[in-house]
Amino acid sequence: MDTMTENDYLIAWGLYAFAALGCLLVWMRMTRWMWRWLREPLRLLVAVLLFAPTIIDPVKEKYAPAVAITALDLLFKVGNNAWRAISELLMYGMIAFGIYLIFVLIRFPIERASNARKEQAEAARAAARAEDERDAGQPFGGAGDDRYGRPPLPGNPQRMRVEPRL
């Protein structure tokens, strides 16, 4: 019996998905040393290559991995689905990279603002350290304005409290 049942078809796709996920994890491990703006598109490209399906039998609606169909058609000349598989790979690639570009355009200003906040916080900590070093020579430190001799925390909402005088 040479026909594939629905159960065999689902088992084959499950095994392929498991193997493709393993290959993707290995690729992520291999590319973790790279610069982020190179690493992320390469990972996306491999994900598209591994997980893009193409139709092989329009009557039965059977699908197969596009990269496997392309390799089999080009290497062994077993069918005429190579151009369809390549066009579907390009289509899925363009869709994935378009979504990735939108994600990057949203993420870039958020990261820039986060880096600016980190730089401001570091500058405030450096200024506080410089003030502590300056006040170190006084016998009571910087206890002139503070009751307990501790400098107020930067960005502390309790600093804005006004206490009434009697």
Side-chain angles (χ1 to χ4, degrees):
M1 185 162 149
D2 60 345
T3 60
M4 182 181 259
T5 65
E6 186 69 25
N7 195 25
D8 294 338
Y9 179 71
L10 291 176
I11 288 173
W13 263 111
L15 290 173
Y16 177 78
F18 185 70
L21 184 63
C23 290
L24 185 64
L25 290 174
V26 168
W27 180 252
M28 286 186 175
R29 180 119 173 126
M30 287 172 48
T31 58
R32 75 176 176 199
W33 61 271
M34 291 181 181
W35 181 52
R36 184 173 99 182
W37 298 106
L38 176 64
R39 176 181 63 223
E40 289 176 352
L42 285 176
R43 288 178 175 178
L44 184 64
L45 177 68
V46 169
V48 167
L49 286 175
L50 288 174
F51 293 110
T54 187
I55 194 159
I56 54 171
D57 190 4
V59 176
K60 296 180 184 176
E61 293 185 9
K62 298 285 184 178
Y63 289 89
V67 72
I69 294 300
T70 304
L72 289 173
D73 284 358
L74 293 178
L75 292 175
F76 300 120
K77 312 250 189 274
V78 293
N80 56 358
N81 294 328
W83 287 112
R84 183 179 356 186
I86 291 171
S87 68
E88 288 186 7
L89 275 173
L90 288 175
M91 179 190 64
Y92 289 129
M94 287 190 314
I95 290 169
F97 278 103
I99 292 170
Y100 175 70
L101 182 65
I102 291 170
F103 173 71
V104 166
L105 291 175
I106 291 171
R107 181 177 66 182
F108 185 69
I110 294 171
E111 286 180 349
R112 220 170 52 184
S114 173
N115 288 340
R117 280 193 307 269
K118 287 178 186 175
E119 289 174 5
Q120 286 177 349
E122 183 61 35
R125 280 194 293 273
R129 281 191 300 255
E131 187 175 326
D132 286 345
E133 290 174 5
R134 184 179 47 121
D135 290 339
Q138 296 178 2
F140 295 107
D145 294 333
D146 189 21
R147 289 197 289 194
Y148 303 109
R150 293 181 301 231
L153 297 173
N156 190 359
Q158 293 177 350
R159 264 187 9 189
M160 303 306 256
R161 187 174 74 194
V162 177
E163 295 184 12
R165 294 180 184 245
L166 298 177

